[in-house]
Amino acid sequence: MSIAFSSRSGKQGDGRLAAVFIAPAFLGFTVFLLWPTLLGVYLSFTRFNLLTPAEWVGLDNYVRMVNDPIFWESLRVTVVYVVLNIGVQTVSALAIAVLLQRLTRSPWLRGIVLTPYLMSNVVAGVVWLWILDTQLGVGNEIVMALGLDRVPFLTDETWAVPAIALINVWRHVGYTALLLFAGLQAIPDDMYEAAKVDGASEWRMFRRITLPLLRPVLAVVLIMTVIGSFQVFDTVAVTTAGGPANATNVLQFYIYGAAFGRFQFGYASAMSVALLVVLSAITFVQYRLTRAGQTDLG
């Protein structure tokens, strides 16, 4: 009897202690994520400009969004950016991670690889704005030294989106590589040793051992990078401000302009909700197709 009472009291004490530790995170989640999300969903059904009370308009904002050509163009530009960013970043990060795993595991080298990620997007944007400047940039000086004409990286409609994508690849590829490197640590070394005994080349081991066993980590990294890529804003704001001729007017920048430039908070909220739905659908499909919750390691 006393033992049962003591056990019950211990469980209650553990529950209270757990609640104390969880409370700060739960409070932050409620104040900074859950409540703004619910408020944004509500505002998406209203006409609101901060100066007057919100006026309920039903689905008007969503009808306007569907018929807004700038919204669809912004979505197209965002998708192009995401494809470029994810493609280059994933391949580069995977190559760096494999090289770190197979050639060296120096912590100093890992620190160097991570260095660009320690810089904020705004600072990175300002630095690359100077590097890629058409007239004074170091990048164009190198282009000229190679005997080529100057390239308007950030002022030409063709080059602007790829340039922004490469800026963000430069900043994030080290962090992505270290995530993949951490996943590589879970692959037993004896698998590679057995493959070497059988005469397998590095490329064959990469295709038959590394990629299959790294799949769950790679899937999670892809989900994270896709979500982050769709939310690109600060690099665009610093370097091109949506130009030239709306060529880099990504969806987040268009939403920001609608909210804080034209004070159309209801319409901006509707586009934000649409982006949330799109990202949720993409994440679900990615998770199912890549089987992110399963592993081939026995």
Side-chain angles (χ1 to χ4, degrees), residues 16-30:
R16 294 192 189 98
L17 183 61
V20 170
F21 283 110
I22 293 173
F26 180 76
L27 180 62
F29 171 80
T30 303

Side-chain angles (χ1 to χ4, degrees), residues 232-276:
V232 61
F233 169 77
D234 34 17
T235 307
V236 173
V238 170
T239 56
T240 63
N246 288 331
T248 59
N249 189 26
V250 292
L251 193 53
Q252 284 279 22
F253 193 77
Y254 184 48
I255 292 173
Y256 173 84
F260 298 99
R262 298 182 295 277
F263 296 101
Q264 299 171 355
F265 286 92
Y267 184 48
S269 297
M271 291 189 287
S272 298
V273 171
L275 179 60
L276 174 63

Side-chain angles (χ1 to χ4, degrees), residues 4-254:
F5 179 77
S6 176
S7 176
R8 191 179 305 113
S9 300
K11 291 181 179 179
Q12 290 177 351
D14 291 342
R16 294 192 189 98
L17 183 61
V20 170
F21 283 110
I22 293 173
F26 180 76
L27 180 62
F29 171 80
T30 303
V31 173
F32 297 108
L33 185 62
L34 181 60
W35 171 245
T37 300
L38 296 177
L39 182 61
V41 172
Y42 165 73
L43 290 177
S44 70
F45 296 100
T46 68
R47 183 182 294 111
F48 181 53
N49 61 8
L50 283 183
L51 302 177
T52 58
E55 176 187 353
W56 184 267
V57 295
L59 296 175
D60 287 1
N61 288 322
Y62 291 95
V63 173
R64 175 185 172 185
M65 180 182 66
V66 171
N67 295 304
D68 184 359
I70 302 179
F71 167 80
W72 292 108
E73 177 63 17
S74 297
L75 182 59
R76 184 195 69 80
V77 171
T78 305
V79 170
V80 171
Y81 164 80
V82 169
V83 171
L84 290 173
N85 183 44
I86 296 303
V88 177
Q89 183 180 161
T90 303
V91 173
S92 302
L94 185 57
I96 294 172
V98 171
L99 290 175
L100 288 174
Q101 167 75 2
R102 305 297 291 159
L103 300 181
T104 177
R105 300 189 184 185
S106 169
W108 291 100
L109 188 57
R110 277 178 263 167
I112 293 173
V113 168
L114 189 62
T115 300
Y117 185 73
L118 303 179
M119 185 183 303
S120 71
N121 278 330
V122 173
V123 174
V126 171
V127 170
W128 280 96
L129 180 63
W130 172 70
I131 294 175
L132 300 179
D133 184 83
T134 307
Q135 300 301 324
L136 304 174
V138 176
N140 265 301
E141 291 298 325
I142 296 174
V143 170
M144 291 288 290
L146 295 175
L148 303 174
D149 295 332
R150 293 182 182 274
V151 180
F153 290 104
L154 297 172
T155 56
D156 182 82
E157 296 180 30
T158 304
W159 287 98
V161 172
I164 291 174
L166 290 177
I167 291 172
N168 280 295
V169 167
W170 172 82
R171 181 177 180 269
H172 292 91
V173 69
Y175 177 71
T176 306
L178 287 184
L179 291 178
L180 296 176
F181 176 77
L184 291 173
Q185 304 305 297
I187 301 177
D189 290 335
D190 55 6
M191 289 190 173
Y192 293 105
E193 294 170 0
K196 285 181 179 180
V197 171
D198 292 338
S201 64
E202 288 289 339
W203 174 245
R204 188 176 180 85
M205 288 190 290
F206 175 75
R207 289 190 299 112
R208 297 299 179 87
I209 298 176
T210 303
L211 276 183
L213 297 183
L214 189 63
R215 177 187 47 76
V217 176
L218 187 59
V220 173
V221 168
L222 280 173
I223 290 172
M224 292 171 55
T225 51
V226 167
I227 293 174
S229 297
F230 265 96
Q231 297 176 335
V232 61
F233 169 77
D234 34 17
T235 307
V236 173
V238 170
T239 56
T240 63
N246 288 331
T248 59
N249 189 26
V250 292
L251 193 53
Q252 284 279 22
F253 193 77
Y254 184 48

